[in-house]
Amino acid sequence: VLDSLGKRKDITIIPSQNEQAAAIAADAYSRFDRKKIGITAKTRGPGMLNLMQGIACSFFDSIATIHFVGAVVTNQLRKNKKIRQIGFQEMEVVDIVKPITKYAVLLKDKNMIKFELEKMLYYAREGRQGPVLMDLPDDLQRSDINPRKLKSFVPPKKVKKNISFENKFIDLIKKSKRPLIVAGHGINLSNTKAQLYKFISKTGIPYCPSWATVDLFSSDDKMNAGTFGVAATRYGNFAIQNADLLISLGCRLNTQITGSNLKSFAPNAKKIMVDIDINEFKKVNGIKYDLKINLDLKDFFNKIIKKIKSKKNYNQWINRFSDWKSRYPIVQRDDYKQNKKCNPYVFFKNLSELTGKNDVLIPDASANLIWAMQSLKTQGQKIFTALNHSPMGYSMAATIGAYLADKSKNVICTIGDGSMQMNIQELATINHFKFPVKIFVLNNNGYGLIKQTQDTWLESRRIGVDSRSGLAMPNLVKVANAYGIKTVEINNHIGMNAKLKEVLKSKIPVLCSIKIKEEQKVIPKIEFGKAIHDMSPRLSEKEMRINMHND
């Protein structure tokens, strides 16, 4: 397969250092531009298992990707499954990946190659999108075929859904005084950003973006109530908890945004859910929906927008957002006054203020992701990451796919020092191809969010989170230099913006180490079992009552 691809002048092969990174880069490539699709080719056995990390990212975030795995020759494929292995590195690839792919097939007939390729491409992009995979035996790769005699795949006929929901939908809006739109990842997947803006404009209803859609809106928009969830913003959580109607558009309302106490989530709100996947309505999770609409968002907007004749005045409701935002900013005045090391909230706010429409920000997992999503000031940047699988090390490999998808953009990854170890080998790929990506490493000498969990629940008993508790932490600046990557260090707030500008303007790849306190915490954050408005550090009962009144 690689030999054939290598003969094509219109195809560029990017050899990753690890199959995991290849799958993540393919995921980011597809995520960046819905018209493109990321493709990987790798060997069976250990190569396939490495690949699964990236496939899981694509599956759980509904991203279309295509993967080819080299299988053993067909006469070495086991017929008796009780025999562990016949061919070298043979394994049951299709059975292993079935739970995290939309379609997976072991090709046994060379004349079915066209049929299966077309079928894979169709299912990757049909409905709720996702990854597909072909296990391709070595002997079939080397077989001759007659293209004219190959069978084609005929997509199944779709039955058009005739769902009538408009009257009840409009009625719920009319009765509402404090409605909120929850904009989920389905907006990105259905390419309905323009329709969403029109819907907001015609109804006048304010909104809460999920982390997947923060980049669709300006942080300064008065109708933007803010992000919400377990570790988001107080003001966004207060908005959700005070709403009397939630309109969830392509958002599955997972427990990272509802909290574990599902009965306390938006307790006084009627709830409308629009989702392409009917299975999302079958979850037994404690959330009661007053209206379920199983439609592609394109079809939903086509039906509902023309039915909206007038909009209500929600100024009193929207003004409360401004009050909450002014009283509960994420970046506190004392954060700026910190003179030893860098405050991550100050760093992310400064970074977002120095970036704009030509920049792509890819936060990594864990505390790094939370700090970013809590404090980034959105003003046209493209912001994405693997949100539902969220593996450490995603953003490092994702920079490669994002840059290849659009080389005119300035691609920036932010990542923790712990996460860097997961895909640090891709610094070799980045340096080899001279991809001018920017890597900001938040260095707190360990796993910050796990430290916080151990502090909260385990009386600060530390195990495997820093050098003192057994976790080896290398000097990442020296490692990057060994890979031939330019490095910059920011150790405190003095001159931070000047160095950030230097890195952002670089025409070559740069790794910038941001030194932060080892005990830096995610603030605010809810504790397990609490309602999302009851974040730690906790407010007084009097202040909580003021914020939770619904007049």
PDB file of all heavy atoms in Angstrom, residues 453-465:
ATOM      1  N   THR A 453      -7.109  16.063  43.004  1.00  0.00           N
ATOM      2  CA  THR A 453      -8.026  15.005  43.419  1.00  0.00           C
ATOM      3  C   THR A 453      -7.535  14.352  44.704  1.00  0.00           C
ATOM      4  O   THR A 453      -8.320  14.084  45.619  1.00  0.00           O
ATOM      5  CB  THR A 453      -8.143  13.943  42.306  1.00  0.00           C
ATOM      6  OG1 THR A 453      -8.623  14.555  41.113  1.00  0.00           O
ATOM      7  CG2 THR A 453      -9.100  12.825  42.707  1.00  0.00           C
ATOM      8  N   GLN A 454      -6.227  14.098  44.778  1.00  0.00           N
ATOM      9  CA  GLN A 454      -5.676  13.489  45.989  1.00  0.00           C
ATOM     10  C   GLN A 454      -5.794  14.435  47.193  1.00  0.00           C
ATOM     11  O   GLN A 454      -6.029  13.997  48.308  1.00  0.00           O
ATOM     12  CB  GLN A 454      -4.214  13.092  45.742  1.00  0.00           C
ATOM     13  CG  GLN A 454      -4.085  11.946  44.746  1.00  0.00           C
ATOM     14  CD  GLN A 454      -2.643  11.610  44.374  1.00  0.00           C
ATOM     15  OE1 GLN A 454      -1.718  12.373  44.647  1.00  0.00           O
ATOM     16  NE2 GLN A 454      -2.453  10.468  43.733  1.00  0.00           N
ATOM     17  N   ASP A 455      -5.654  15.733  46.941  1.00  0.00           N
ATOM     18  CA  ASP A 455      -5.835  16.708  48.020  1.00  0.00           C
ATOM     19  C   ASP A 455      -7.284  16.728  48.507  1.00  0.00           C
ATOM     20  O   ASP A 455      -7.556  16.828  49.708  1.00  0.00           O
ATOM     21  CB  ASP A 455      -5.441  18.114  47.547  1.00  0.00           C
ATOM     22  CG  ASP A 455      -3.945  18.274  47.362  1.00  0.00           C
ATOM     23  OD1 ASP A 455      -3.187  17.428  47.856  1.00  0.00           O
ATOM     24  OD2 ASP A 455      -3.542  19.256  46.706  1.00  0.00           O
ATOM     25  N   THR A 456      -8.225  16.639  47.545  1.00  0.00           N
ATOM     26  CA  THR A 456      -9.648  16.766  47.874  1.00  0.00           C
ATOM     27  C   THR A 456     -10.189  15.532  48.586  1.00  0.00           C
ATOM     28  O   THR A 456     -10.933  15.645  49.561  1.00  0.00           O
ATOM     29  CB  THR A 456     -10.468  17.023  46.596  1.00  0.00           C
ATOM     30  OG1 THR A 456      -9.954  18.191  45.939  1.00  0.00           O
ATOM     31  CG2 THR A 456     -11.941  17.236  46.916  1.00  0.00           C
ATOM     32  N   TRP A 457      -9.805  14.357  48.116  1.00  0.00           N
ATOM     33  CA  TRP A 457     -10.439  13.130  48.588  1.00  0.00           C
ATOM     34  C   TRP A 457      -9.539  12.228  49.428  1.00  0.00           C
ATOM     35  O   TRP A 457     -10.041  11.365  50.151  1.00  0.00           O
ATOM     36  CB  TRP A 457     -10.951  12.317  47.391  1.00  0.00           C
ATOM     37  CG  TRP A 457     -11.980  13.035  46.596  1.00  0.00           C
ATOM     38  CD1 TRP A 457     -11.808  13.627  45.373  1.00  0.00           C
ATOM     39  CD2 TRP A 457     -13.343  13.269  46.952  1.00  0.00           C
ATOM     40  NE1 TRP A 457     -12.974  14.217  44.939  1.00  0.00           N
ATOM     41  CE2 TRP A 457     -13.953  14.008  45.903  1.00  0.00           C
ATOM     42  CE3 TRP A 457     -14.114  12.929  48.066  1.00  0.00           C
ATOM     43  CZ2 TRP A 457     -15.281  14.405  45.937  1.00  0.00           C
ATOM     44  CZ3 TRP A 457     -15.448  13.321  48.087  1.00  0.00           C
ATOM     45  CH2 TRP A 457     -16.010  14.051  47.027  1.00  0.00           C
ATOM     46  N   LEU A 458      -8.224  12.415  49.319  1.00  0.00           N
ATOM     47  CA  LEU A 458      -7.316  11.429  49.916  1.00  0.00           C
ATOM     48  C   LEU A 458      -6.317  12.055  50.884  1.00  0.00           C
ATOM     49  O   LEU A 458      -5.197  11.563  51.038  1.00  0.00           O
ATOM     50  CB  LEU A 458      -6.582  10.660  48.802  1.00  0.00           C
ATOM     51  CG  LEU A 458      -7.509   9.946  47.804  1.00  0.00           C
ATOM     52  CD1 LEU A 458      -6.743   9.480  46.587  1.00  0.00           C
ATOM     53  CD2 LEU A 458      -8.198   8.761  48.481  1.00  0.00           C
ATOM     54  N   GLU A 459      -6.729  13.150  51.508  1.00  0.00           N
ATOM     55  CA  GLU A 459      -5.923  13.799  52.541  1.00  0.00           C
ATOM     56  C   GLU A 459      -4.501  14.100  52.066  1.00  0.00           C
ATOM     57  O   GLU A 459      -3.536  13.962  52.810  1.00  0.00           O
ATOM     58  CB  GLU A 459      -5.900  12.943  53.813  1.00  0.00           C
ATOM     59  CG  GLU A 459      -7.279  12.738  54.419  1.00  0.00           C
ATOM     60  CD  GLU A 459      -7.256  11.829  55.635  1.00  0.00           C
ATOM     61  OE1 GLU A 459      -6.276  11.078  55.799  1.00  0.00           O
ATOM     62  OE2 GLU A 459      -8.230  11.869  56.412  1.00  0.00           O
ATOM     63  N   SER A 460      -4.395  14.476  50.794  1.00  0.00           N
ATOM     64  CA  SER A 460      -3.123  14.880  50.169  1.00  0.00           C
ATOM     65  C   SER A 460      -2.060  13.784  50.190  1.00  0.00           C
ATOM     66  O   SER A 460      -0.860  14.064  50.134  1.00  0.00           O
ATOM     67  CB  SER A 460      -2.572  16.147  50.841  1.00  0.00           C
ATOM     68  OG  SER A 460      -3.475  17.222  50.661  1.00  0.00           O
ATOM     69  N   ARG A 461      -2.498  12.526  50.222  1.00  0.00           N
ATOM     70  CA  ARG A 461      -1.530  11.431  50.094  1.00  0.00           C
ATOM     71  C   ARG A 461      -1.134  11.321  48.623  1.00  0.00           C
ATOM     72  O   ARG A 461      -1.956  10.994  47.778  1.00  0.00           O
ATOM     73  CB  ARG A 461      -2.124  10.113  50.600  1.00  0.00           C
ATOM     74  CG  ARG A 461      -2.370  10.087  52.096  1.00  0.00           C
ATOM     75  CD  ARG A 461      -2.777   8.691  52.578  1.00  0.00           C
ATOM     76  NE  ARG A 461      -4.056   8.275  52.016  1.00  0.00           N
ATOM     77  CZ  ARG A 461      -5.238   8.584  52.548  1.00  0.00           C
ATOM     78  NH1 ARG A 461      -5.306   9.329  53.646  1.00  0.00           N
ATOM     79  NH2 ARG A 461      -6.351   8.161  51.988  1.00  0.00           N
ATOM     80  N   ARG A 462       0.102  11.609  48.303  1.00  0.00           N
ATOM     81  CA  ARG A 462       0.572  11.674  46.926  1.00  0.00           C
ATOM     82  C   ARG A 462       1.149  10.331  46.471  1.00  0.00           C
ATOM     83  O   ARG A 462       2.038   9.768  47.132  1.00  0.00           O
ATOM     84  CB  ARG A 462       1.650  12.764  46.787  1.00  0.00           C
ATOM     85  CG  ARG A 462       1.127  14.171  47.076  1.00  0.00           C
ATOM     86  CD  ARG A 462       0.227  14.633  45.933  1.00  0.00           C
ATOM     87  NE  ARG A 462      -0.525  15.825  46.250  1.00  0.00           N
ATOM     88  CZ  ARG A 462      -0.046  17.065  46.221  1.00  0.00           C
ATOM     89  NH1 ARG A 462       1.218  17.273  45.918  1.00  0.00           N
ATOM     90  NH2 ARG A 462      -0.811  18.093  46.483  1.00  0.00           N
ATOM     91  N   ILE A 463       0.661   9.832  45.351  1.00  0.00           N
ATOM     92  CA  ILE A 463       1.180   8.603  44.754  1.00  0.00           C
ATOM     93  C   ILE A 463       1.272   8.812  43.252  1.00  0.00           C
ATOM     94  O   ILE A 463       0.274   9.066  42.580  1.00  0.00           O
ATOM     95  CB  ILE A 463       0.269   7.386  45.049  1.00  0.00           C
ATOM     96  CG1 ILE A 463       0.167   7.152  46.569  1.00  0.00           C
ATOM     97  CG2 ILE A 463       0.806   6.128  44.373  1.00  0.00           C
ATOM     98  CD1 ILE A 463      -0.789   6.051  46.960  1.00  0.00           C
ATOM     99  N   GLY A 464       2.485   8.748  42.704  1.00  0.00           N
ATOM    100  CA  GLY A 464       2.698   8.760  41.259  1.00  0.00           C
ATOM    101  C   GLY A 464       2.297  10.028  40.557  1.00  0.00           C
ATOM    102  O   GLY A 464       1.854   9.982  39.404  1.00  0.00           O
ATOM    103  N   VAL A 465       2.466  11.201  41.222  1.00  0.00           N
ATOM    104  CA  VAL A 465       2.040  12.452  40.594  1.00  0.00           C
ATOM    105  C   VAL A 465       3.166  13.473  40.442  1.00  0.00           C
ATOM    106  O   VAL A 465       2.998  14.476  39.762  1.00  0.00           O
ATOM    107  CB  VAL A 465       0.865  13.098  41.364  1.00  0.00           C
ATOM    108  CG1 VAL A 465      -0.397  12.253  41.239  1.00  0.00           C
ATOM    109  CG2 VAL A 465       1.233  13.327  42.825  1.00  0.00           C
TER     110      VAL A 465
END
